[in-house]
Amino acid sequence: MPTGTTLDPIRHSFLAPAFERATVVDAMRMGVVRCTPDSSLREVARIMATYRIHSVVVSEMEGSRPAAVVSDTDLAAAANADIDRLTAGQVATTEVVTVEPGATMALAAQLMAERRVSHLVVVQPDTGHPVGVLSALDLAGVLAWGGTE
């Protein structure tokens, strides 16, 4: 069970071990918001707006390995195009970078920096199936408040 949950958004309290001891599971968001490669870009925009998220995992079917990620930057780059004709598979330029739940936050931060991504897809070690997402904001929460409660 992840311990990195926001307790009070007004106070910005965050329960997690100190960054040096934290693992991905301590801060990740459980579950994956996904779409299929043929989902229209408008549908992807609605998903992002509805769930107030910055990326959507593109995969053929629920639980399958991620094929791509549509980020908010990908969406912005395509905003002046016909978003009803464009698909998630066509605009997803953000690289899928995966990490396991037991990986250290230090490794997650290193992956984000080296690959220049702001989201890591968290996958089961044995199957590679996505189980959650770790964002740069989740990382920031551990850096800001980890080990302080």
Side-chain angles (χ1 to χ4, degrees):
M1 182 72 142
T3 57
T5 57
T6 303
L7 296 179
D8 183 351
I10 305 295
R11 288 188 352 193
H12 301 288
S13 182
F14 195 87
L15 293 178
F19 179 79
E20 298 76 22
R21 294 188 322 273
T23 61
V24 168
V25 75
D26 292 319
M28 67 184 265
R29 306 298 171 147
M30 294 297 288
V32 176
V33 178
R34 62 169 286 281
C35 67
T36 61
D38 61 343
S39 297
S40 75
L41 197 52
R42 184 175 308 278
E43 183 179 343
V44 174
R46 286 181 179 146
I47 292 169
M48 286 183 183
T50 299
Y51 292 102
R52 301 195 55 77
I53 56 176
H54 296 268
S55 68
V56 176
V57 174
V58 181
S59 62
E60 287 296 331
M61 50 191 209
E62 183 129 4
S64 66
R65 293 176 188 247
V69 173
V70 177
S71 72
D72 50 2
T73 307
D74 297 331
L75 184 65
N80 289 323
D82 184 350
I83 64 170
D84 290 311
R85 290 183 190 232
L86 286 176
T87 65
Q90 292 171 317
V91 302
T93 62
T94 301
E95 177 185 9
V96 176
V97 181
T98 62
V99 67
E100 294 181 1
T104 65
M105 288 300 291
L107 175 62
Q110 179 182 352
L111 286 170
M112 286 180 183
E114 287 177 355
R115 303 290 184 86
R116 298 195 184 283
V117 296
S118 58
H119 294 82
L120 302 176
V121 178
V122 184
V123 296
Q124 292 178 343
D126 49 343
T127 65
H129 292 123
V131 294
V133 174
L134 180 76
S135 75
L137 288 176
D138 299 327
L139 174 70
V142 174
L143 289 169
W145 295 293
T148 62
E149 296 278 327

